[in-house]
Amino acid sequence: MSGTILGCIADDFTGATDIAGLLARSGVRVSLRIGVPDTPPKTTSAFEVIALKSRTAPVQKAIDETRSALAWLRDAGARRFYWKYCSTFDSTADGNIGPVAEALMGDLGTDQTIYCPAFPENGRSIFMGNLFVGQQPLAESPMRDHPLTPMRDSNLMRLLAPQVRGRVGLIDRLTVAQGAQSLQDALAQHRAEGIAHVVVDAVASSDLVIIATACRDMPLMTGGSAVAMPLPALYLANGLLSDDAPKRPHHTLPDATIILSGSCSAMTNAQASAYIATGAPSYQLDPLTLAERGTQEVIDWLAAQDLAQAPLVYATADPASVNAAQAKVGAVELGALIENTLAHCATAARDAGARRIIVAGGETSGAVTRALGVAQLDIGTEIAPGVPWTFCISDGVQIALALKSGNFGGEDFFTDAQTRLDAS
Ligand code: ADP
């Protein structure tokens, strides 16, 4: 069977690599496009993922971009679609998760979809419609201090309702735990009552299999990456995907490495500290100095480094320092300044021979891949749940890129990423 079976649209780059990596766990080839390709689909994979940079975009812009991604994926032959957003539902009352889902439903002519940002393996679970990060409700987790999307409510129905026109409902864990049939019955019941937007509880990986089984033929599913993970196996089992579908690729590359960290999440703070403690060379970007003096200083520092030592450039800082700098320069301006600086570091390092680039931060990863001029990535081996190595061509050379969303990976992620690539 050829053509695209599942078309996924992600609202940021690390979200796209996350879902692509989980789909690739099945061993099949997964292709990730950065932005909507400007040419019609020619050679496509069974699983196609389009990465947008729309997480914090104004609603209409996010809708327009997502609809054009949908149109491209439909041209590629996909008949099932997945709208992937953050597992911490990064979205305020004027956020675009609901409006985008509603626009996609309109284009697909469907009257119901599910919302399931759960990722139990990464500590994201939903119970009675409330999203938890580890043992903490979302609004009590470090996400309440995110620089761009501070989350101050944990209830997904309350977060979603102001964003959509249709009715919002819940299917709770008690129903999910009874299996796929009971979930399908509950969805049908909700549909009969005119409930278009259904938050679905999931606290364990087995819940995800039940949800994916019940929803695998829905025109549109929405959520974090994890509920898409069982889909390849389900498609293999029902013959939609054939056993001889192309497999995941691997490339051996020189060890010249650069690590760029623009995330201020609690986990990235811990990862940067752990990496610095190994004695690896590191350079901390000071946002205010950067605003005054520009990027030359860090570029000069980078030029003097031995890339075989895998140097780290980081803006990563604790919430108090972030707030202080934002008060002086403005959150959006500061974010863009740091993203552009790290993107500049990426091209400078590539030109100096770096062939392995590790990036922490969703927005930061978007800026880096754009600067590298990368349009398509093949998904490789997994470093941590939801974070694969990817392979691509930048300025005519083969490179490996690891793009990590802020909260993902363990404390030793920056070291793990390097050893994982060599071991695969
Ligand atoms: P995450 O995946 O953790 O959300 P992102 O890269 O998406 O990470 O978002 C972090 C944002 O914070 C980026 O726009 C980045 O440029 C900005 N940022 C990084 N360091 C600082 C800092 N020290 N002060 C203010 N903003 C920062």
Side-chain angles (χ1 to χ4, degrees), residues 146-148 262-265 287 315 317 322 334-335 338-339 361-364 405-406:
H146 187 277
L148 302 177
S263 160
C264 295
S265 68
V322 173
L334 204 54
I338 292 167
E339 287 168 31
E363 297 292 326
T364 309
S405 147

Side-chain angles (χ1 to χ4, degrees), residues 38-281:
D38 43 24
T39 52
K42 237 177 31 210
T43 317
T44 60
S45 304
F47 296 89
E48 285 284 337
V49 181
I50 294 183
L52 301 178
K53 189 177 178 345
S54 57
R55 181 162 299 169
T56 51
V59 167
Q60 194 53 50
K61 186 164 186 282
I63 288 177
D64 293 345
E65 285 179 7
T66 318
R67 291 183 66 208
S68 80
L70 178 74
W72 191 91
L73 292 165
R74 287 177 110 171
D75 277 356
R79 293 292 171 264
R80 294 162 187 77
F81 302 89
Y82 196 97
W83 163 227
K84 152 77 178 80
Y85 39 79
C86 189
S87 66
T88 43
F89 209 78
D90 298 15
S91 184
T92 56
D94 354 291
N96 61 45
I97 291 178
V100 165
E102 223 155 37
L104 295 176
M105 289 165 76
D107 283 2
L108 292 169
T110 182
D111 59 359
Q112 193 178 58
T113 191
I114 63 156
Y115 296 78
C116 185
F119 194 162
E121 214 181 310
N122 266 351
R124 311 285 184 275
S125 52
I126 310 168
F127 186 65
M128 298 300 162
N130 291 281
L131 183 57
F132 289 80
V133 176
Q135 296 185 342
Q136 295 171 309
L138 176 66
E140 292 168 35
S141 78
M143 281 306 296
R144 70 173 283 112
D145 295 316
H146 187 277
L148 302 177
T149 48
M151 298 309 292
R152 302 287 161 93
D153 195 346
S154 309
N155 185 288
L156 294 175
M157 285 88 76
R158 257 192 328 254
L159 287 165
L160 195 55
Q163 296 186 0
V164 290
R165 289 189 301 267
R167 288 181 64 195
V168 176
L170 169 70
I171 295 181
D172 70 27
R173 174 88 206 296
L174 302 177
T175 303
V176 173
Q178 284 169 23
Q181 187 58 54
S182 101
L183 176 51
Q184 280 180 340
D185 292 346
L187 284 166
Q189 177 70 36
H190 275 36
R191 176 178 277 117
E193 291 167 17
I195 296 174
H197 307 279
V198 186
V199 173
V200 183
D201 275 357
V203 301
S205 297
S206 54
D207 296 338
L208 301 177
V209 178
I210 292 170
I211 298 166
T213 305
C215 301
R216 68 184 167 194
D217 289 322
M218 271 184 152
L220 178 69
M221 293 169 69
T222 90
S225 53
V227 76
M229 185 167 43
L231 292 173
L234 292 167
Y235 296 155
L236 271 169
N238 71 4
L240 204 57
L241 179 67
S242 75
D243 284 332
D244 55 4
K247 299 287 179 277
R248 205 176 60 189
H250 179 71
H251 300 275
T252 306
L253 293 169
D255 64 0
T257 303
I258 177 77
I259 305 175
L260 303 165
S261 180
S263 160
C264 295
S265 68
M267 182 46 89
T268 307
N269 268 283
Q271 289 162 340
S273 302
Y275 192 63
I276 293 162
T278 65

